[in-house]
Amino acid sequence: MSLSTDTLAPPAPHVAPSNGNGLPPEVFRITPIDAALGAEVTGLDATRPLGADQVLAIKRALLERHVLVFKRQQLDDAQFERLASYFGSVFRPPSNVPVLGSDPYGGNTPDIVHVSNLEGGVLGHDELAAHADHHWTPVPSSGSLLYGIEVPSEGGDTTWFNLAAAWDTLDSGTQREIADLKLITYNPFLRKLKPLATGFPLYRTPDIEPLTPFEVHPLVRTHPDSGRRILHLGEKTEVEIVGVDPQYGAALVARLRKHLLQPRFAYTHRWSVGDIVYWDNQATLHARSAFDNGERRLLKRISLSGSRPF
């Protein structure tokens, strides 16, 4: 699916104020990236309040392209929080549901999470499998903004996968087979507290005691704003399809994962300092490549509240 720049352009051009570096100001533009998803936003000075037409253009572009890259930003935490607040309130999970940055058993989740291999950061330097944030919570986040403060010279790239396109390209028989199925995604932070001798399971079978609390959500959710159908399944999360034979369920999940991870659904972002990426957590997965732990990487993340999947 490709979109023209004109489709994503704001109703009227905006010129970013001069930043005092002697360079001419940029016109505010949203330009689709040549990939299955993604668009680049330039000419936006997020140190200043946004105009109504800018906010609306960004919201429309996110709905169409799922991932937006804001270039050349220099924000303090208060300005970063203000930017995020144009698109929703901060995601706050239940106190008994651990998420990234929270206490081990849940609670005390900071509004800005430091995704970093530095002291006080989370997620280190290893490769991360494709996942959707907070999928195991009662009301998963609608999206996140991730701000590049320090980036390594190589590695640490983030790849997003288009889950709406993954659904659209399934054969009609598979679509009918899975359209009404329910999925439990078990909390990976709880699994770390209760490890299994057999390792991290990709599918819960009857011999594994279920982690609690858990939530039942649709395997194929409907986007609350666009109405598009979305194959909402992570790459290596511990899952279970409700009410089906475990052998059938595990085989089906493996088949769907192979489908949704195809490169034709992906966009890989090479980070630069000053990049802010805003993605729709309801329509994408994201993964990270490993990087040298001898190099510094610091990104700041704000997640936005969402709605119960349906």
Side-chain angles (χ1 to χ4, degrees):
M1 181 179 65
S2 62
L3 296 169
S4 69
T5 304
D6 291 339
T7 302
L8 300 182
H14 267 255
V15 177
S18 173
N19 57 14
N21 60 9
L23 298 175
E26 290 184 277
V27 176
F28 171 54
R29 298 185 187 279
I30 304 176
T31 306
I33 292 168
D34 185 17
L37 68 173
E40 187 174 282
V41 181
T42 53
L44 183 77
D45 181 2
T47 64
R48 298 169 178 263
L50 304 190
D53 52 353
Q54 292 177 315
V55 175
L56 290 172
I58 289 167
K59 289 185 174 184
R60 285 197 300 268
L62 185 75
L63 204 58
E64 295 180 32
R65 299 298 293 170
H66 309 310
V67 176
L68 301 181
V69 181
F70 299 79
K71 302 296 292 184
R72 294 179 288 279
Q73 300 301 316
Q74 292 182 306
L75 308 182
D76 60 28
D77 285 354
Q79 292 165 337
F80 186 33
E81 290 178 303
R82 183 180 63 189
L83 173 64
S85 70
Y86 284 107
F87 310 113
S89 57
V90 173
F91 169 79
R92 294 192 172 93
S95 60
N96 64 337
V97 179
V99 297
L100 186 68
S102 73
D103 288 346
Y105 288 93
N108 295 318
T109 308
D111 288 353
I112 299 179
V113 175
H114 286 199
V115 180
S116 178
N117 63 328
L118 308 179
E119 184 178 358
V122 294
L123 294 182
H125 69 285
D126 293 326
E127 178 182 359
L128 299 176
H131 62 283
D133 293 334
H134 315 125
H135 193 188
W136 54 90
T137 65
V139 182
S141 60
S142 63
S144 292
L145 294 90
L146 190 60
Y147 178 22
I149 307 298
E150 297 183 68
V151 300
S153 60
E154 187 176 1
D157 302 339
T158 305
T159 298
W160 281 268
F161 294 88
N162 187 333
L163 295 178
W167 163 261
D168 290 343
T169 53
L170 283 171
D171 64 88
S172 59
T174 301
Q175 287 183 338
R176 288 191 297 270
E177 179 184 7
I178 69 174
D180 298 318
L181 294 178
K182 303 296 183 182
L183 184 75
I184 298 171
T185 300
Y186 291 101
N187 191 323
F189 296 96
L190 289 177
R191 177 53 69 204
K192 289 180 180 179
L193 297 172
K194 300 179 180 180
L196 300 174
T198 52
F200 192 93
L202 299 181
Y203 194 92
R204 191 193 81 83
T205 49
D207 59 303
I208 300 174
E209 182 180 355
L211 296 165
T212 57
F214 62 78
E215 290 292 323
V216 178
H217 291 314
L219 171 61
V220 183
R221 70 175 294 181
T222 301
H223 195 284
D225 299 313
S226 70
R228 294 189 69 182
R229 300 283 272 168
I230 294 160
L231 180 58
H232 210 210
L233 173 69
E235 178 183 3
K236 290 185 177 180
T237 43
E238 179 181 350
V239 300
E240 175 186 357
I241 297 179
V242 177
V244 305
D245 175 79
Q247 187 174 1
Y248 163 77
L252 176 59
V253 164
R255 174 158 56 97
L256 294 174
R257 283 171 165 159
K258 182 178 179 180
H259 172 74
L260 64 85
L261 293 171
Q262 294 179 77
R264 60 176 170 149
F265 303 136
Y267 160 65
T268 297
H269 182 68
R270 174 72 190 124
W271 287 90
S272 296
V273 172
D275 287 351
I276 296 177
V277 180
Y278 174 26
W279 71 89
D280 187 340
N281 196 53
Q282 304 159 129
T284 64
L285 300 179
H286 58 283
R288 185 187 74 188
S289 65
F291 62 96
D292 183 350
N293 199 33
E295 294 203 59
R296 297 169 61 93
R297 187 179 191 265
L298 170 61
L299 295 90
K300 296 182 177 182
R301 193 195 73 180
I302 297 176
S303 293
L304 304 175
S305 61
S307 55
R308 183 173 291 275
F310 58 88

